[in-house]
């Protein structure tokens, strides 16, 4: 049996993450208490590392992959910037509050639209232009970027250069913040 890592490509990896993001967002929306809080924390972390990796690895390739790649990527980056701001606001809210529920419901709709745009406009371009080796290489690069990415949203870092400049220190700060939060219970 072939090793799973050798078969995986970046589009399959991102699609699987989109499914997990959808599942977590639905869990947040339909639950309360500890289930909601835990699902939101997992969603926030997954979105933070996922978007960072897309910004560092996927979007630059997609920008070069098609004539209108810059237009497609710029639209996704604008959505990601807005989402980071809302996600940061949600982090500060009581998950049981009416404000959280209202803000999260809109965020969930916007999140779904963003994922759909990537799946229809960006991922097919990548799959059509990348070689199988590039697809596997990007999957490995995405996993590496996610392993060291910040775990909280940082609005305004939607480029590889900004992620590389700000990301490492933000990632350390975020992981310390996460550890302290976990220790507090």
């Amino acid at each position: 049996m072939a090793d799973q890592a050798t078969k995986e490509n970046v589009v399959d990896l991102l699609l699987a993450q989109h499914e997990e993001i959808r599942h977590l967002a639905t869990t947040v929306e339909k639950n309360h208490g500890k289930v909601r809080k835990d699902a939101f924390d997992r969603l926030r972390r997954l979105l933070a590392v996922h978007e960072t990796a897309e910004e560092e690895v996927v979007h630059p390739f997609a920008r070069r992959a098609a004539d209108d790649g810059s237009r497609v990527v710029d639209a996704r980056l604008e959505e990601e910037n807005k989402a980071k701001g809302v996600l940061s606001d949600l982090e500060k809210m009581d998950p049981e509050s009416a404000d959280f529920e209202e803000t999260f419901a809109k965020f969930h709709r916007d999140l779904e639209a963003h994922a759909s745009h990537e799946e229809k406009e960006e991922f097919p371009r990548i799959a059509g232009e990348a070689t199988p080796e590039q697809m596997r290489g990007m999957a490995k690069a995405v996993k590496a970027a996610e392993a060291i990415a910040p775990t909280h949203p940082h609005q305004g870092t939607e480029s590889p250069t900004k992620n590389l400049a700000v990301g490492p220190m933000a990632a350390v700060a975020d992981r310390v913040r996460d550890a302290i939060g976990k220790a507090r219970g």
Side-chain angles (χ1 to χ4, degrees):
M1 183 176 190
D3 179 46
Q4 178 63 27
T6 63
K7 295 190 306 184
E8 195 167 72
N9 72 59
V10 71
V11 171
D12 290 342
L13 174 63
L14 297 172
L15 289 171
Q17 289 181 351
H18 281 191
E19 286 307 309
E20 178 66 10
I21 288 165
R22 287 179 172 106
H23 169 74
L24 288 169
T26 299
T27 301
V28 170
E29 209 161 46
K30 293 187 177 197
N31 288 280
H32 292 279
K34 184 168 173 38
V35 172
R36 174 182 277 177
K37 183 185 178 328
D38 289 349
F40 178 75
D41 287 345
R42 290 185 5 242
L43 175 64
R44 182 249 320 135
R45 184 184 195 293
L46 177 56
L47 285 171
V49 300
H50 173 86
E51 295 304 336
T52 297
E54 283 185 338
E55 291 160 5
E56 292 179 5
V57 178
V58 180
H59 295 328
F61 185 90
R63 187 178 294 281
R64 296 184 308 269
D67 292 338
D68 66 342
S70 287
R71 179 193 58 79
V72 170
V73 170
D74 288 346
R76 300 302 69 81
L77 291 173
E78 186 176 320
E79 293 165 357
E80 289 168 13
N81 178 278
K82 182 179 174 188
K84 287 177 184 181
V86 175
L87 193 57
S88 183
D89 291 343
L90 284 164
E91 277 190 293
K92 298 169 190 156
M93 294 180 188
D94 175 357
E96 296 303 313
S97 71
D99 284 345
F100 180 93
E101 288 188 10
E102 182 180 319
T103 303
F104 190 84
K106 181 172 182 344
F107 175 76
H108 188 178
R109 289 189 301 274
D110 292 345
L111 187 64
E112 182 57 46
H114 173 74
S116 180
H117 288 141
E118 286 182 339
E119 292 165 5
K120 292 176 182 169
E121 298 174 23
E122 192 171 2
F123 296 173
R125 286 172 169 83
I126 293 168
E129 292 294 320
T131 66
E133 294 78 19
Q134 287 173 314
M135 296 287 277
R136 286 190 298 274
M138 280 189 281
K140 288 178 185 175
V142 162
K143 289 177 185 176
E146 289 176 344
I148 60 169
T151 59
H152 293 264
H154 294 277
Q155 198 171 22
T157 59
E158 293 79 28
S159 75
T161 304
K162 289 180 183 176
N163 272 316
L164 292 173
V166 176
M169 291 306 296
V172 170
D174 287 353
R175 291 165 198 270
V176 168
R177 176 179 168 191
D178 294 343
I180 290 169
K182 189 173 183 179
R184 287 183 178 162

